[in-house]
Every structure is written in structure tokens, then in C-alpha cells.
Amino acid sequence: MEAPQSQPNTAYAMPRIGDTAPDFEAVTTFGTLKLSDYAKDSWLVLFSHPADFTPVCTTEMSGFAERKPEFDARNTKLMGLSIDSVHAHLAWVNNVREKTGVYFDFPIIADLDMNVSNRYGMVQPNEATTAAVRAVFFIDPAQKIRLIMYYPLNVGRNMDEILRVLDALQTSDKHGVAMPLNWKKGEKVIVPPPKTADEMNARIADDSVEKVDFYLARKELQEA
Ligand code: BEZ
């Protein structure tokens, strides 16, 4: 028997890096939106919060709103989600604007039937059965899931880290490189290690990159 939709549904496989992002149509504070239309030709950061009118969530949503110009500059759309009604979302959006002047200028999904949160593994029943954990999905313009973060209810996310990994993914795609520990935009990147003996010998002879050894080489990017 199919599980009722308003319950956490553990029958869905957890989404994984590299999977096509499950498409959906959902009621949001910007009307009914389909993911594949909303994020057509752009990156998407899809994130969940446990509940409207709660303190940590208010700081996080305000963080997304305040840093939205930085997402815009990275061709990245924002979309929030919680298992609350659109009326609750709108009352919260308006309350935060009245109290702090910060306006959540991005759609927030009202996932009352848990359709989206179940498909994205956002309801993790050993943490909470009626609320989404703090998830962040980085979805590229080909609608592939590229990076996933899950945080528990009691730990807020870090907006600098969210923007840092977005920069890392976009820079990696553009230049075919990888990012070392603590990398930030503008810093040296990792050159992919050789896969054959010929490539190894070429790397050993290559003085254009900064090497610890042939398998660990860094370079500056002309354009980050
Ligand atoms: C909060 O955002 O403060 C919060 C939400 C749900 C559970 C615990 C904390």
C-alpha cells in the first residue's frame, strides 16, 4: 500500500550527487512553479528549513535574502521549502520584512504533502518526522545534483560556505580543475593528476605548474 503523502516516505531513495534532480511542480510564495522551468538555463540552490516563525530559520532565510545579489551574479536561482502552508510563509515573510527590513525575494515551497521533501530526502525521521532538516541542493543548468548538504535542526548553515562551494563547482566546470582544502575564489587550484605514465612524465617535466610531486600540482587561474 502506498504511504499517505503527508507522512515521511522512506520508500524514496536518497538523492545522490550526480543524479538528475527530481522535477516537480509545487505551490510557492511566487505561485505554482515547476523546477525545470524556474531554473531553466541557470543554477539552482534548493534549500529547506524546518519551520516558519522559528529563530534559526529566520536567520538563515534572512541570510539567503541578504546575499541574493551574490547568487544572481553567479546565474543562480534560489528556492526555499518547508512543510508549512503558503499562508504561514507569507505571514512570516511579511513579519520579517516589518521587523527587520529583510524581504525574502525568492519562492518558498509550501510542501504540506511532503511531495518535494520526500523526494529530496529532506524529511529524516530520526531527526524529525513532521519537519524538513536543513538541506541544500546545488543543481546545475543540466538539472544534475552536484552537491548536497544536510544539517540538523539545531545547527544553522554558513552562507559563506554555500557561496564558496557554488564558486568551486562553477570554477571546476569552467576550467576542468579541482579545489584543495579551504579553497576560495581567486586562490590556486589543483590540476587533475596524471592518469598514464606518459602524462606522469609530462607532468614531471612541466614547470608551468607548482608541484609538490607529479600527482599534487597547483596553478593560478588567469580568470577565476
Ligand atoms: C529554529 O529555526 O530555531 C528551529 C526550528 C526547528 C527546530 C529547532 C529550531
Side-chain angles (χ1 to χ4, degrees):
M1 198 179 78
E2 207 171 273
Q5 281 217 303
S6 56
Q7 296 295 314
N9 187 341
T10 47
Y12 284 104
M14 288 294 279
R16 293 167 302 190
I17 292 171
D19 290 357
T20 296
D23 206 2
F24 58 79
E25 200 170 81
V27 173
T28 83
T29 49
F30 284 23
T32 298
L33 294 176
K34 187 172 179 185
L35 176 140
S36 52
D37 294 335
Y38 174 66
K40 191 167 161 42
D41 301 326
S42 69
W43 285 74
L44 172 67
V45 172
L46 171 67
F47 51 96
S48 55
H49 67 272
D52 298 347
F53 290 100
T54 53
V56 177
C57 299
T58 303
T59 64
E60 291 187 309
M61 296 294 273
S62 300
F64 278 109
E66 288 173 327
R67 309 280 301 260
K68 182 172 176 290
E70 295 172 67
F71 290 97
D72 293 341
R74 291 162 173 79
N75 184 33
T76 301
K77 298 249 175 93
L78 297 175
M79 188 179 251
L81 173 150
S82 77
I83 302 165
D84 289 297
S85 71
V86 81
H87 310 292
H89 286 341
L90 292 173
W92 186 40
V93 168
N94 195 46
N95 179 262
V96 174
R97 178 173 55 183
E98 283 179 358
K99 299 288 178 200
T100 70
V102 176
Y103 182 57
F104 301 166
D105 191 14
F106 47 79
I108 308 169
I109 298 170
D111 198 35
L112 284 176
D113 63 4
M114 298 190 187
N115 176 43
V116 179
S117 38
N118 276 327
R119 296 174 74 190
Y120 279 81
M122 291 167 170
V123 184
Q124 305 198 1
N126 293 326
E127 177 70 355
T129 52
T130 56
V133 297
R134 303 180 194 280
V136 191
F137 286 83
F138 297 78
I139 299 170
D140 72 15
Q143 226 179 298
K144 286 266 179 296
I145 296 173
R146 299 291 301 277
L147 194 148
I148 303 172
M149 297 173 172
Y150 289 118
Y151 279 53
L153 269 49
N154 55 354
V155 179
R157 287 156 284 194
N158 182 308
M159 202 54 60
D160 291 331
E161 175 64 359
I162 289 170
L163 282 156
R164 187 191 77 89
V165 299
L166 182 58
D167 281 337
L169 290 166
Q170 294 185 344
T171 305
S172 174
D173 283 4
K174 187 167 177 191
H175 296 279
V177 294
M179 308 318 175
L181 173 75
N182 294 339
W183 177 87
K184 287 204 227 51
K185 197 174 172 83
E187 294 179 353
K188 288 177 186 154
V189 298
I190 300 273
V191 185
K195 293 194 196 65
T196 64
D198 282 351
E199 287 178 9
M200 176 184 72
N201 292 329
R203 177 64 53 79
I204 289 166
D206 182 358
D207 289 331
S208 74
V209 295
E210 184 186 286
K211 277 172 285 185
V212 173
D213 207 330
F214 70 88
Y215 63 89
L216 173 50
R218 295 183 175 87
K219 69 172 182 185
E220 302 261 13
L221 289 177
Q222 296 315 312
E223 166 212 2

